[in-house]
Amino acid sequence: MKFVSTRNAKLELSGSEAIVKGISDDGGLFVPSSFPKIDSALMQQLLEMSYEERAAKILSMYLDDFSYEELLEYTTRAYSRFDGDPAPVVKIEDGLFMLELWHGPTCAFKDMALTLLPYLLVASKLKLGKKEKTLILVATSGDTGKAALEGFKDVDGTEIIVFYPGTGVSAMQRKQMVTQEGNNVHVAGIVGNFDDAQTSVKKIFNDSEVKEYLASKGVAMSSANSINFGRLAPQIAYYISSYLDLVNSGEIKMGDKVNFVVPTGNFGNILAGYYAERMGLPVNKLIIASNANNILTDFFNTGIYDVNRDFYKTASPSMDILVSSNLERFIFEILGRDSEKVKSLYDSLKATGKFEIDQKLLDDSIFVAGWADEEETKDAINTFFDIDDYIMDTHTAVGASVYNDYSCELEDETPTIIVSTASPYKFAPDVLAAIGGKEKDPFKALSKLQNATALECPENLLFLKDKEEKHTLVIDRTETKQAVYDFINK
Ligand SMILES: *Cc1c(COP(=O)(O)O)cnc(C)c1O
């Protein structure tokens, strides 16, 4: 399988090259040159497999410069860091299920890919005979940062720098990052929101002076953000796996269609669902759920993507995003893989903050989009807790709320899987408030939430409170480049 850039379809790379580079020099994202197909024989085979085996099999269809055995070793090691089944499907009501992706080390779905990415990256470098040090540069809306730090800490031949928005992450997310241990980890806050952090980091990736300077030190940059195909590929597996789990439990028959509802920010998670569908997974609708930063809802309903709008801070901070990087991969597909067109749209986005495509293309697509405000998000947490005895986090609740609207409006009775992206304990003060409790302190809120629900609090979050804050630097966004130099020379 070859990989091409969304902005230059003539450029061809292998899977390991795409993973090591992270992003294309032309600013585009790497995408597979075609979608491998899962036929019914393969689905039958996957049915019998463990999660680790399913993931290795699906990865091997894209990353054919790796063997299945090699990939199985990585998935086995990565998912041994999870508490039990890495991606359990929980029944909520008849026809409604939660795919819980937060049983990993940092309690959010980013662990599904970021526990695995370091293995893929180190092995890719070996295959390519690359000896330089890899600098992983991350901009985070909160959860990617911690998951990347946990994944890459003390990994030989790597250094990791995480920039988080100084005013955009929850107290718990901040605490997780500033207490990070490891000899190759660096963390700094940037004054501003996630888009400011992401833009600063993207600039560094495209700065030839930085590249030359790092090269002189034997260092090359790569990305652990969902622009890296190595982030995206492991996410495809859980869409297919959750479907197989429903077949195994007799909830659906092989070939039946299902809906997925995905709380969305950077469009990375739901894009993996789209890839699974393109591979042949029977999907009825992919439902995009946004919070008040509802640029994707507007885009899918009008064809106009316009970032000239207010930015809101919400109780689902990992979705407080206006520029959804991975949308570019979908745009590439829907425009018939015309990389010239994609390039001109994204040039226009850069120049005017806006682009437009034919709305009909979106209407005919498998996607439906909706959004939930803060009140509706809280209501969803409270209602599901009240009626179904199920406690969910604020991001998942955006999905649940959008699903409720969708199913009422369209009377669609297709079995539906809501992708649950974080442990409710990661956002405990807001979750507690939604079910009538009150506690602003995130650590006190943990025990109060545990008392109010039957769900056990993950130890990783309980122990954070007493950990030393090692990384308290906060910088202006004009200082990011200097900060990278300083970290590298430490
Ligand atoms: C990152 C994140 C999201 C959004 O995922 P995208 O891939 O950016 O769409 C949703 N919920 C949680 C908890 C997250 O950490």
Side-chain angles (χ1 to χ4, degrees), residues 206-272:
N206 293 321
D207 187 326
S208 49
E209 188 193 300
V210 178
K211 278 188 216 170
E212 274 166 35
Y213 178 78
L214 292 176
S216 76
K217 304 234 149 202
V219 177
M221 284 184 284
S222 188
S223 169
N225 278 98
S226 52
I227 52 175
N228 193 318
F229 187 76
R231 263 288 296 279
L232 193 58
Q235 296 176 178
I236 301 168
Y238 52 72
Y239 285 90
I240 297 169
S241 180
S242 60
Y243 182 93
L244 295 165
D245 284 353
L246 290 188
V247 174
N248 273 337
S249 62
E251 295 287 350
I252 57 172
K253 288 195 304 296
M254 193 68 100
D256 288 352
K257 289 194 171 184
V258 300
N259 296 321
F260 287 97
V261 184
V262 190
T264 307
N266 233 337
F267 209 72
N269 193 351
I270 198 162
L271 183 81

Side-chain angles (χ1 to χ4, degrees), residues 108-110 143 263-269 318-319 321 393 395 421-422:
F109 93 94
K110 308 290 198 296
D143 292 329
T264 307
N266 233 337
F267 209 72
N269 193 351
S318 301
M319 293 154 56
I321 292 172
D393 98 290
H395 302 75
T421 51

Side-chain angles (χ1 to χ4, degrees), residues 341-353:
K341 255 193 210 161
V342 175
K343 187 173 178 318
S344 84
L345 288 183
Y346 278 85
D347 285 345
S348 144
L349 184 69
K350 197 168 172 189
T352 66

